[in-house]
mmCIF file of all heavy atoms in Angstrom:
data_model
loop_
_atom_site.group_PDB
_atom_site.id
_atom_site.type_symbol
_atom_site.label_atom_id
_atom_site.label_comp_id
_atom_site.label_asym_id
_atom_site.label_seq_id
_atom_site.Cartn_x
_atom_site.Cartn_y
_atom_site.Cartn_z
ATOM 1 N N GLY A 13 5.825 7.504 -2.265
ATOM 2 C CA GLY A 13 4.997 7.626 -3.454
ATOM 3 C C GLY A 13 3.516 7.677 -3.126
ATOM 4 O O GLY A 13 3.123 7.696 -1.958
ATOM 5 N N PRO A 14 2.666 7.675 -4.169
ATOM 6 C CA PRO A 14 1.222 7.805 -3.968
ATOM 7 C C PRO A 14 0.595 6.543 -3.386
ATOM 8 O O PRO A 14 1.108 5.436 -3.531
ATOM 9 C CB PRO A 14 0.695 8.070 -5.386
ATOM 10 C CG PRO A 14 1.702 7.432 -6.282
ATOM 11 C CD PRO A 14 3.028 7.586 -5.579
ATOM 12 N N VAL A 15 -0.549 6.754 -2.726
ATOM 13 C CA VAL A 15 -1.333 5.665 -2.153
ATOM 14 C C VAL A 15 -2.729 5.749 -2.768
ATOM 15 O O VAL A 15 -3.323 6.830 -2.828
ATOM 16 C CB VAL A 15 -1.416 5.774 -0.611
ATOM 17 C CG1 VAL A 15 -2.229 4.621 -0.030
ATOM 18 C CG2 VAL A 15 -0.028 5.833 -0.002
ATOM 19 N N PHE A 16 -3.229 4.603 -3.229
ATOM 20 C CA PHE A 16 -4.516 4.556 -3.915
ATOM 21 C C PHE A 16 -5.489 3.665 -3.159
ATOM 22 O O PHE A 16 -5.095 2.665 -2.559
ATOM 23 C CB PHE A 16 -4.350 3.981 -5.327
ATOM 24 C CG PHE A 16 -3.410 4.772 -6.184
ATOM 25 C CD1 PHE A 16 -2.069 4.441 -6.242
ATOM 26 C CD2 PHE A 16 -3.856 5.852 -6.911
ATOM 27 C CE1 PHE A 16 -1.187 5.171 -7.021
ATOM 28 C CE2 PHE A 16 -2.986 6.592 -7.687
ATOM 29 C CZ PHE A 16 -1.644 6.248 -7.745
ATOM 30 N N ARG A 17 -6.760 4.027 -3.231
ATOM 31 C CA ARG A 17 -7.817 3.136 -2.747
ATOM 32 C C ARG A 17 -8.255 2.325 -3.952
ATOM 33 O O ARG A 17 -8.417 2.843 -5.053
ATOM 34 C CB ARG A 17 -8.993 3.926 -2.189
ATOM 35 C CG ARG A 17 -10.064 3.002 -1.659
ATOM 36 C CD ARG A 17 -11.183 3.735 -0.989
ATOM 37 N NE ARG A 17 -12.138 2.741 -0.517
ATOM 38 C CZ ARG A 17 -13.086 3.003 0.333
ATOM 39 N NH1 ARG A 17 -13.210 4.199 0.841
ATOM 40 N NH2 ARG A 17 -13.921 2.061 0.698
ATOM 41 N N ALA A 18 -8.450 1.022 -3.736
ATOM 42 C CA ALA A 18 -8.827 0.135 -4.827
ATOM 43 C C ALA A 18 -9.747 -0.950 -4.293
ATOM 44 O O ALA A 18 -9.964 -1.065 -3.087
ATOM 45 C CB ALA A 18 -7.576 -0.492 -5.449
ATOM 46 N N MET A 19 -10.273 -1.738 -5.199
ATOM 47 C CA MET A 19 -11.082 -2.894 -4.830
ATOM 48 C C MET A 19 -10.347 -4.150 -5.262
ATOM 49 O O MET A 19 -9.762 -4.201 -6.343
ATOM 50 C CB MET A 19 -12.453 -2.838 -5.510
ATOM 51 C CG MET A 19 -13.307 -1.669 -5.040
ATOM 52 S SD MET A 19 -13.642 -1.666 -3.270
ATOM 53 C CE MET A 19 -14.874 -2.915 -3.147
ATOM 54 N N ALA A 20 -10.369 -5.156 -4.394
ATOM 55 C CA ALA A 20 -9.760 -6.441 -4.704
ATOM 56 C C ALA A 20 -10.530 -7.103 -5.846
ATOM 57 O O ALA A 20 -11.670 -6.721 -6.136
ATOM 58 C CB ALA A 20 -9.765 -7.321 -3.462
ATOM 59 N N PRO A 21 -9.931 -8.084 -6.493
ATOM 60 C CA PRO A 21 -10.606 -8.750 -7.609
ATOM 61 C C PRO A 21 -11.979 -9.325 -7.265
ATOM 62 O O PRO A 21 -12.829 -9.447 -8.139
ATOM 63 C CB PRO A 21 -9.628 -9.858 -8.002
ATOM 64 C CG PRO A 21 -8.296 -9.332 -7.607
ATOM 65 C CD PRO A 21 -8.545 -8.555 -6.348
ATOM 66 N N ASP A 22 -12.212 -9.659 -5.978
ATOM 67 C CA ASP A 22 -13.537 -10.185 -5.608
ATOM 68 C C ASP A 22 -14.618 -9.113 -5.686
ATOM 69 O O ASP A 22 -15.800 -9.415 -5.653
ATOM 70 C CB ASP A 22 -13.502 -10.822 -4.213
ATOM 71 C CG ASP A 22 -13.243 -9.818 -3.094
ATOM 72 O OD1 ASP A 22 -13.310 -8.593 -3.302
ATOM 73 O OD2 ASP A 22 -12.967 -10.271 -1.968
ATOM 74 N N GLY A 23 -14.219 -7.841 -5.796
ATOM 75 C CA GLY A 23 -15.164 -6.744 -5.939
ATOM 76 C C GLY A 23 -15.794 -6.259 -4.654
ATOM 77 O O GLY A 23 -16.521 -5.274 -4.649
ATOM 78 N N ASP A 24 -15.550 -6.942 -3.543
ATOM 79 C CA ASP A 24 -16.176 -6.582 -2.269
ATOM 80 C C ASP A 24 -15.195 -6.093 -1.222
ATOM 81 O O ASP A 24 -15.607 -5.611 -0.177
ATOM 82 C CB ASP A 24 -16.917 -7.794 -1.685
ATOM 83 C CG ASP A 24 -18.137 -8.176 -2.506
ATOM 84 O OD1 ASP A 24 -18.718 -7.286 -3.151
ATOM 85 O OD2 ASP A 24 -18.501 -9.362 -2.498
ATOM 86 N N THR A 25 -13.900 -6.242 -1.466
ATOM 87 C CA THR A 25 -12.908 -5.945 -0.443
ATOM 88 C C THR A 25 -12.094 -4.708 -0.810
ATOM 89 O O THR A 25 -11.365 -4.721 -1.804
ATOM 90 C CB THR A 25 -11.949 -7.148 -0.266
ATOM 91 O OG1 THR A 25 -12.726 -8.322 -0.048
ATOM 92 C CG2 THR A 25 -11.010 -6.920 0.890
ATOM 93 N N PRO A 26 -12.215 -3.621 -0.014
ATOM 94 C CA PRO A 26 -11.375 -2.452 -0.294
ATOM 95 C C PRO A 26 -9.934 -2.720 0.132
ATOM 96 O O PRO A 26 -9.686 -3.390 1.140
ATOM 97 C CB PRO A 26 -12.009 -1.340 0.549
ATOM 98 C CG PRO A 26 -12.723 -2.053 1.644
ATOM 99 C CD PRO A 26 -13.125 -3.400 1.107
#
Side-chain angles (χ1 to χ4, degrees):
V15 180
F16 301 92
R17 181 175 180 166
M19 295 301 284
D22 66 12
D24 292 332
T25 308

